[in-house]
Amino acid sequence: MPTLTAPGRASATAYSKRRRMFALLALALGAFGIGLTEFVVVGLLGPLGDDLDVSIPTAGLLVTGYAASVAIGAPIMTAAGARLPRKTMLIVLMSFFIAGNAIAALAPSGEHGYAVLMAGRVISALCHGAFMGIGPIMAASLVAPQRRSRAIALMMTGLTLSNVVGVPFGTALGQQLGWRSAFWAIALIGAVSLVAITMFVPSRANETGDGLRGELAVFRRVQVWLVLTITMLGWGAAYAAITFMEPILTRVSGFETSAVPWLMLLFGVGLTIGNLLGGKLADRAVMPALYGTILAATAALVVFAFAARQEVSALIMVFVLGAAGFAMVPVLQTRVLDAAKGAPSLASSTNAAAFNVGIALSAWLGGLAIDGGLGLTAPVWIGVGLGIAALAVAVVSGHVE
């Protein structure tokens, strides 16, 4: 009999591992669609502006409006679903995400179409922060505690691949078949993710029975606010260079405009590798990983500020910046789960909002520096300052209970 039951157990274990992997891939696919939605507009501003009869700056507000809606919607949507099981909440969020992209794809031509498109973007964005907050919690719950950061990193790989593969594909699709085709493709990706989440992500009750009250209670912890601050400053540091990467590479480094897509592909490979590496480091020791990734990202910015003036060195640093910057992501996400232990959903979603606040902060400060005549590399030095501030707050958090 033992020889009969052992294979059965092994088979069940193998099936369980496969099911967990499918669940993680379902979450990663959702993250892929979300990342694609946020950034695909950047490559389609011209066609959008022409079809909707708006200027390029006005079309650019589709990006700004999305980011603002993520920051505002993340805590609100998570709070609204605080009493729902997390799987149910993910299904609801992905359903709204599909609807938002379908609305965007149905926007008519002309100025009225712009309003419809913006509405679709806002609906999609409201789901973005909550999904990217709850998703990592579910990913971490699927594996043993010592592998949770790697599970989070695997889910976040969907977000990184959306930049590497998704955005170029979406841009090409929109240029060839019309910009609406890109949003229909995203809605389809969302539908596949919804089916996969329904099939493979296990149903589990929330860890807390206190609902919104329990989720809000964690914000009394100083450590939660410190982590949110680190995320805002650390991610702001990374995006200080990313936001102005194209003009730096073409006007400072001297690359031809035609080389930029390939350089961004290299950057995307770096951020994918960095994301997975950060997950492994965080599983070994979270706080050393936090210090190390922030320090590495800040040091990479310092080097890039000088290396940007020469093509070969700039080429190398594009990869390094991607790897160093995105290594922070699973570390920061793991740290907020630790700080908000017991009721992490709202804190994790607020951390997703903090990422977007950091992006907006660094873009604003970098724009002010350039307008002030300090040069195109000035935002990189602003990033260095934000990185140093993030490291200082991280050190403080390491000494606070």
Side-chain angles (χ1 to χ4, degrees):
M1 291 297 294
T3 57
L4 294 175
T5 57
R9 256 192 224 117
S11 177
T13 301
Y15 173 76
S16 178
K17 286 182 179 179
R18 285 197 299 270
R19 190 175 182 86
R20 285 198 298 270
M21 180 56 67
F22 283 137
L24 286 171
L25 291 175
L27 294 171
L29 183 61
F32 178 85
I34 283 173
L36 182 53
T37 299
E38 181 168 18
F39 297 114
V40 74
V41 169
V42 174
L44 297 172
L45 289 182
L48 279 166
D50 292 339
D51 186 56
L52 301 175
D53 294 329
V54 297
S55 65
I56 294 298
T58 301
L61 291 176
L62 293 166
V63 179
T64 307
Y66 187 98
S69 298
V70 172
I72 295 170
I76 293 175
M77 293 294 287
T78 305
R83 289 195 175 276
L84 290 176
R86 292 194 181 112
K87 177 178 179 177
T88 302
M89 188 60 180
L90 288 175
I91 290 172
V92 170
L93 291 170
M94 191 52 62
S95 298
F96 274 104
F97 173 79
I98 296 166
N101 280 285
I103 290 171
L106 291 169
S109 299
E111 293 183 5
H112 294 298
Y114 178 82
V116 175
L117 177 55
M118 180 65 84
R121 297 277 292 165
V122 169
I123 291 171
S124 299
L126 289 175
C127 304
H128 178 133
F131 187 95
M132 296 308 297
I134 297 171
I137 299 172
M138 292 298 292
S141 72
L142 291 168
V143 299
Q146 66 271 21
R147 298 185 64 86
R148 59 182 181 150
S149 295
R150 274 169 279 190
I152 292 172
L154 179 57
M155 179 199 160
M156 290 297 184
T157 299
L159 196 62
T160 62
L161 287 177
S162 70
N163 288 274
V164 180
V165 179
V167 172
F169 172 77
T171 301
L173 185 67
Q175 289 173 345
Q176 294 297 318
L177 302 179
W179 62 264
R180 292 173 182 82
S181 64
F183 287 99
W184 283 123
I186 295 169
L188 178 60
I189 291 169
V192 175
S193 174
L194 175 60
V195 171
I197 289 171
T198 303
M199 289 179 61
F200 299 113
V201 174
S203 298
R204 293 174 181 170
N206 284 353
E207 292 177 8
T208 174
D210 295 332
L212 180 57
R213 180 179 298 178
E215 294 288 342
L216 288 172
V218 301
F219 287 96
R220 297 174 188 164
R221 304 175 190 174
V222 175
Q223 205 52 264
V224 170
W225 289 104
L226 288 173
V227 176
L228 294 176
T229 303
I230 295 166
T231 296
M232 180 188 69
L233 294 172
W235 201 236
Y239 253 82
I242 296 171
T243 302
F244 300 96
M245 184 78 77
E246 189 272 340
I248 291 173
L249 292 174
T250 55
R251 301 181 191 181
V252 178
S253 304
F255 285 101
E256 296 292 333
T257 304
S258 59
V260 172
W262 297 105
L263 291 168
M264 296 313 295
L265 178 62
L266 178 64
F267 174 77
V269 172
L271 63 86
T272 302
I273 293 172
N275 174 56
L276 296 173
L277 177 61
K280 289 185 178 181
L281 293 174
D283 277 334
R284 292 181 181 178
V286 176
M287 289 309 296
L290 183 64
Y291 301 145
T293 54
I294 295 173
L295 184 60
T298 305
L301 287 168
V302 173
V303 176
F304 181 64
F306 295 102
R309 302 189 182 282
Q310 204 276 334
E311 285 190 359
V312 175
S313 56
L315 179 72
I316 295 170
M317 289 311 300
V318 164
F319 173 84
V320 174
L321 280 172
F326 268 73
M328 288 190 287
V329 174
V331 182
L332 290 167
Q333 201 63 48
T334 301
R335 184 61 179 151
V336 79
L337 295 186
D338 287 343
K341 189 174 182 180
S345 293
L346 186 56
S348 182
S349 295
T350 305
N351 199 46
F355 278 104
N356 281 270
V357 173
I359 292 172
L361 175 66
S362 63
W364 176 64
L365 291 175
L368 287 178
I370 293 172
D371 288 340
L374 298 179
L376 286 172
T377 57
V380 180
W381 290 110
I382 289 173
V384 172
L386 292 173
I388 292 171
L391 185 59
V393 178
V395 171
V396 171
S397 75
H399 293 82
V400 172
E401 293 296 330

